[in-house]
């Protein structure tokens, strides 16, 4: 039986939406367009200048076998002395790492860069923290600099705290880590770092401040030298600096905490620090805790 179906109805079409004419936006004012070109040009100029600046930075590979005859910091201090009408002073004696007492090496590492053997020249955690503090305080501090960064700055850069110098420092620190072993970086650092007026390197520092060679430095003497590094020209053992006294005792405590020395050695070192610096010098306001010598 067949079924007769009715005629099919054409599907209903919704009425088409009216076509809107294309929106014509008014042209940006001529002054605004000019400003965009200027801004774009400045960005290109800055990036180009940065690229050229970084491309001209020195190669670190010769330092694998050669000791530098001088450093940027040594030359800067000599220039400052001449400008002040003084004869530049330089005390420096190169020694291998094996000729430095282990407690003194440990004191410097714990004080300046406890993660030295764990990073590749830049401590990213400390750097991020320092950048946050710089944004809050409006100036760059010293705290984020690893030992490798400090070496790069001493060897090739100035002591100013500009962002350009910091960028160079980061690049050069990476080059040092790529070209040299950790032991070589540490050896270079210990031989060029500033330890007082015209005093460079740990051998000269040991003889200048304690009358001994670097190989004979005691735990306490090593702690005092390490505590000098944030402000080496202000924090001499004879300066009466309370900041130096506090930091030296802190370094001794850190050596014990990291099990580099025994509790008995720590107790003896604390007593020796007091003999070397005097017991609890008068409070100097802590000014040199925050204001280092730019090294």
């Amino acid at each position: 039986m067949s079924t007769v179906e009715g005629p099919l109805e054409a599907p209903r079409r919704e009425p088409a939406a009216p076509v809107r004419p294309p929106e014509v936006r008014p042209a940006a004012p001529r002054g605004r367009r000019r400003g965009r070109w200027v801004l774009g040009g400045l960005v290109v100029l800055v990036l180009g200048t940065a690229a050229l600046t970084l491309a001209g930075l020195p190669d670190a590979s010769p330092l694998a076998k050669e000791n530098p005859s001088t450093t940027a910091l040594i030359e800067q201090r000599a220039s400052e002395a001449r400008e002040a009408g003084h004869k530049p002073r330089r005390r420096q004696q190169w020694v291998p790492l094996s000729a430095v007492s282990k407690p003194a090496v440990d004191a410097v590492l714990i004080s300046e860069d406890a993660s030295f053997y764990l990073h590749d020249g830049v401590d990213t955690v400390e750097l991020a923290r320092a950048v946050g503090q710089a944004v809050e305080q409006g100036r760059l501090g010293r705290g984020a600099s690893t030992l490798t960064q400090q070496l790069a700055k001493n060897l090739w850069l100035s002591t100013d705290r500009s962002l350009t110098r910091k960028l160079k420092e980061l690049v050069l620190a990476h080059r040092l880590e790529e070209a040299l072993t950790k032991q070589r970086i540490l050896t270079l650092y210990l031989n060029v770092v500033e330890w007082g007026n015209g005093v460079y390197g740990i051998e000269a520092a040991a003889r200048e401040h304690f009358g001994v060679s670097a190989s004979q430095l005691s735990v306490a003497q090593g702690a005092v030298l390490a505590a000098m590094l944030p402000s080496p020209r202000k924090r001499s053992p004879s300066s009466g600096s309370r900041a130096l006294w506090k930091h030296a005792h802190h370094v001794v405590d850190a050596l014990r905490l990291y099990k580099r020395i025994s509790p008995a050695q720590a107790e003896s070192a604390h007593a020796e620090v007091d003999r070397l610096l005097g017991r609890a010098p008068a409070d100097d306001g802590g000014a040199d805790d925050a204001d280092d010598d730019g090294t």
Side-chain angles (χ1 to χ4, degrees):
M1 180 176 178
S2 62
T3 303
V4 179
E5 297 181 354
L8 296 175
E9 294 183 358
R12 296 180 180 180
R13 295 181 179 180
E14 297 294 333
V19 178
R20 296 181 179 178
E23 182 178 356
V24 179
R25 296 182 180 180
R30 183 175 298 177
R32 185 182 301 173
R33 283 181 289 171
R34 185 181 297 113
R36 290 173 180 172
W37 278 105
V38 171
L39 179 59
L42 286 174
V43 170
V44 172
L45 179 62
V46 169
L47 292 177
T49 302
L52 289 174
T53 300
L54 298 181
L57 293 179
D59 179 18
S61 57
L63 294 173
K65 296 182 179 180
E66 300 175 6
N67 295 331
S69 59
T70 188
T71 69
L73 180 62
I74 290 174
E75 294 305 311
Q76 178 183 328
R77 296 303 190 216
S79 177
E80 291 169 353
R82 285 189 289 268
E83 289 176 3
H86 304 305
K87 182 179 179 180
R89 184 174 189 263
R90 179 175 176 179
R91 302 289 185 272
Q92 185 182 30
Q93 294 173 265
W94 280 83
V95 292
L97 193 59
S98 58
V100 183
S101 76
K102 188 176 184 303
V105 174
D106 288 340
V108 170
L109 284 174
I110 285 176
S111 177
E112 292 298 292
D113 191 355
S115 302
F116 175 66
Y117 287 104
L118 302 178
H119 62 66
D120 294 323
V122 178
D123 189 327
T124 54
V125 175
E126 287 299 320
L127 181 61
R129 183 180 293 115
V131 169
Q133 292 176 349
V135 171
E136 293 179 1
Q137 300 173 5
R139 68 184 184 93
L140 289 172
R142 178 179 186 273
S145 292
T146 63
L147 188 146
T148 310
Q149 288 174 251
Q150 292 179 49
L151 175 61
K153 180 170 59 176
N154 283 354
L155 287 172
W156 296 304
L157 305 174
S158 67
T159 57
D160 75 271
R161 291 179 175 175
S162 67
L163 289 174
T164 300
R165 194 228 71 199
K166 197 67 178 179
L167 179 59
K168 291 179 180 179
E169 180 185 299
L170 295 174
V171 172
L172 288 169
H174 176 71
R175 291 187 181 182
L176 283 168
E177 293 278 347
E178 286 287 307
L180 311 177
T181 65
K182 286 287 188 180
Q183 296 298 87
R184 180 59 177 164
I185 291 172
L186 181 56
T187 299
L188 288 168
Y189 177 86
L190 289 172
N191 278 284
V192 303
V193 71
E194 187 177 36
W195 252 303
N197 180 26
V199 181
Y200 303 96
I202 197 165
E203 179 68 20
R207 295 182 181 279
E208 175 89 2
H209 300 300
F210 304 118
V212 300
S213 67
S215 64
Q216 297 173 314
L217 286 168
S218 67
V219 173
Q221 290 168 337
V224 170
L225 290 181
M228 289 176 63
L229 289 175
S231 297
R233 293 186 299 167
K234 297 174 183 176
R235 295 185 179 184
S236 70
S238 60
S239 66
S241 167
R242 182 174 178 82
L244 175 63
W245 180 83
K246 289 169 60 178
H247 195 173
H249 280 292
H250 173 75
V251 172
V252 172
D253 286 335
L255 287 168
R256 178 183 56 80
L257 182 65
Y258 281 89
K259 301 185 184 304
R260 297 296 188 270
I261 59 175
S262 67
Q265 287 176 304
E267 183 178 355
S268 176
H270 280 303
E272 187 181 352
V273 168
D274 286 340
R275 290 196 299 273
L276 292 170
L277 303 179
R279 184 178 296 275
D283 193 350
D284 54 12
D288 59 350
D289 275 319
D291 183 21
D292 64 51
D293 293 337
T295 57

